[in-house]
Every structure is written in C-alpha cells, then in structure tokens.
Amino acid sequence: MSEDFIKFLFNRNSRCFSGFPDKGAVESFIDELYTVLFLPNDIDHKCEAQLRGQFTSLKDKFTHLLQDVIEDAEAIQDIRDSYFESLPALFTLLLKDAEALLQSDPAAKSLEEVMAAYPGFYATAVYRLSHQLHELAVPVLPRLFSEYAHGKTGIDIHPGATIGHSFSIDHGTGVVIGETSLIGNHVKVYQGVTLGALSVTKTLATTKRHPTIEDNVVIYSGATILGGNTIIGKDSIIGGNVWLTNSVPRNSVVYHKSEVSVKDLLPPDENILNFVI
C-alpha cells in the first residue's frame, strides 16, 4: 500500500470524523438505558439509591456523546436535561406499545416477555429514544441509534418518522419506515412492510415523501406503500404483498389477488414449470 494513500486516508478521516461519536459508546449507552428501563433483572437494583446512581451514570455517558457532536456547553446541558426529563413520558408511551403487542399476539404471554424478547418492541423503543433526540435537533446521534436497532432487528425506522401510541410491529424483519412517515394510533404492521418514497431525488429532502397511515390500520406482510400524498384511511386493512401509490378511504380492505398453478394438475403440454437453473 502506498505511503500517499495512507497520508490521504489519515488526513481525510481526521477531518471528516473529528467530532463524530464513537459508535461503540453509542451502542453501550442504548443497551444500558434499555436495560435500566425494561430489563431490571439484568442489573443489580437492591435499592432506589442504586437505580438513581445508574441514571446519574447514564447522564454522564450521554453528556460525553453530546460533546462529540455539539460544541456549546450550555446547549449540551439543556439537551441532556430535556432528554432525561422526557423519559417518564416515553416510558409510558412504550408501555402502551408493549401492551398493544401483548393484546394482538396470541403467542405473547406477558409484558415482560414482549420487552425482553420481541424485536418489534425493541426497534420501537429505540425509535422513540432516537425520535426524541431528533426533536431536540441533535445531529448524527439519532441515526446512530436507529441504525443500531436496524442491525439488531432488521427493522429500519427513521428517527424523523412520527408514530402515535399503541404501535406494534409483529415479527418485523424487513420493515422500513421512512423519515416523513406519519403513523396514527393503534397501528400494526407485519414483517416486510415498506412505507417509502416515490422519488429519492435530493431536491425533495425537505418535503413529505412518505405516506400517512391513520388510526387503527393493519398492514400485512410484504405490503409496500409509497408517496408523501398517499393516505391510508383509518380502520383500513392492507393485505400482504399489496403495492400502493394512491390513497384509500377509511374502512377499506385492500388485497393482492394472485393465481396459483399446481404443477401436477396441468395438462402435459402445459407442464412448463420444470425449470433447470
């Protein structure tokens, strides 16, 4: 490897990544915060004082993360205080999400099981924690939060999305929820659902590019809903593998109809499904 390339790489990375948070520290903070909130058996809580000390430690770690992306010391303190003051409301909101999953999934036996084992709840929790950072206009960190959850669960929720209460993701792998998506209350989505944009040109970065999903909508696996002007009316059901770029009124049922051919029942001259790949 040439010396010139090493010098170029050093100079480039020193310039571009100065003030960039350490991903390991970000992930450690998320893990610890999630554990404190939802997995109390994983830590030693013998008394309230120890729990209080855990939050003090988390505040210190959060401050260090903010110092990597914000230079103003007063702004850092204000953001840290606002973020931790928002946790009780976020916790209440996430309990509603966990309850929605528990009520809608016959396999779920308790809230504790949902919090400890359901990737949909984990991704929703990290989304809400990252969305709060996004609302406070913190750079970089919200995306690092969401991408950590994406890597662990296969569920990609942009921190800029707006999601109401009692939201549930069942199974979840392959779910994509874009930055300007608006999702109402009591919405449930299954694996492979995409709430995306019709166009990805950079000039549309500040416009609403992703759909609006109103209250009490269920979206089944593999459905793709695209476009900032697309509105799914409340109380609607979107079936599996549906592709939508237009709005549908409330109380709609939208489904994809396909034909299935069984090879053994076809006449011999139509037996064309014996491919060799």
Side-chain angles (χ1 to χ4, degrees):
M1 186 177 295
S2 71
E3 188 66 25
D4 288 343
F5 177 70
I6 292 174
K7 289 180 180 179
F8 165 78
L9 196 60
F10 175 79
N11 290 332
R12 189 263 179 193
N13 289 348
S14 298
R15 180 179 68 255
C16 295
F17 288 91
S18 60
F20 197 86
D22 181 279
K23 288 186 68 177
V26 172
E27 294 167 3
S28 175
F29 173 79
I30 296 169
D31 287 340
E32 186 174 346
L33 181 56
Y34 188 88
T35 297
V36 168
L37 292 175
F38 301 113
L39 305 176
N41 288 338
D42 287 359
I43 52 179
D44 186 12
H45 283 166
K46 294 181 179 178
C47 64
E48 290 185 17
Q50 289 183 337
L51 180 58
R52 195 172 293 109
Q54 194 81 26
F55 276 108
T56 299
S57 173
L58 282 165
K59 282 185 177 181
D60 290 341
K61 292 177 180 179
F62 187 62
T63 299
H64 288 306
L65 294 178
L66 292 175
Q67 288 171 343
D68 287 335
V69 295
I70 298 172
E71 295 182 357
D72 187 331
E74 186 175 345
I76 289 172
Q77 182 174 338
D78 289 343
I79 290 170
R80 181 200 64 195
D81 292 345
S82 295
Y83 190 73
F84 278 84
E85 286 170 6
S86 73
L87 288 181
L90 287 176
F91 184 78
T92 299
L93 194 57
L94 283 162
L95 286 181
K96 291 183 178 180
D97 297 327
E99 183 67 31
L101 260 171
L102 177 63
Q103 294 303 320
S104 65
D105 186 356
K109 300 300 187 289
S110 67
L111 284 179
E112 291 71 28
E113 180 184 6
V114 169
M115 293 171 182
Y118 275 55
F121 177 77
Y122 180 86
T124 301
V126 177
Y127 152 74
R128 295 206 187 277
L129 294 170
S130 68
H131 180 71
Q132 188 63 25
L133 287 175
H134 183 272
E135 292 291 285
L136 292 169
V138 176
V140 184
L141 285 179
R143 287 310 301 270
L144 292 179
F145 274 44
S146 63
E147 285 307 309
Y148 183 51
H150 183 193
K152 291 190 72 171
T153 66
I155 299 168
D156 185 2
I157 309 176
H158 194 286
T162 301
I163 301 177
H165 67 75
S166 305
F167 178 65
S168 60
I169 303 174
D170 200 353
H171 304 294
T173 306
V175 166
V176 177
I177 299 175
E179 178 183 15
T180 60
S181 299
L182 294 177
I183 300 176
N185 303 320
H186 297 284
V187 171
K188 182 174 185 177
V189 302
Y190 285 80
Q191 67 272 18
V193 166
T194 297
L195 305 181
L198 275 170
S199 176
V200 293
T201 60
K202 200 68 174 177
T203 56
L204 298 177
T206 58
T207 64
K208 188 178 186 308
R209 309 181 306 282
H210 305 92
T212 295
I213 312 298
E214 294 185 344
D215 296 347
N216 304 311
V217 170
V218 177
I219 309 174
Y220 283 99
S221 58
T224 298
I225 305 173
L226 305 178
N229 294 323
T230 302
I231 300 174
I232 306 303
K234 64 183 299 185
D235 301 308
S236 292
I237 297 174
I238 308 301
N241 299 318
V242 163
W243 175 281
L244 272 178
T245 58
N246 296 305
S247 298
V248 300
R250 61 185 301 172
N251 296 311
S252 296
V253 177
V254 183
Y255 61 93
H256 172 73
K257 186 176 182 180
S258 62
E259 294 184 3
V260 178
S261 297
V262 180
K263 176 182 175 183
D264 290 343
L265 298 182
L266 290 173
D269 58 346
E270 294 184 25
N271 192 0
I272 59 173
L273 301 181
N274 188 22
F275 295 112
V276 176
I277 298 176

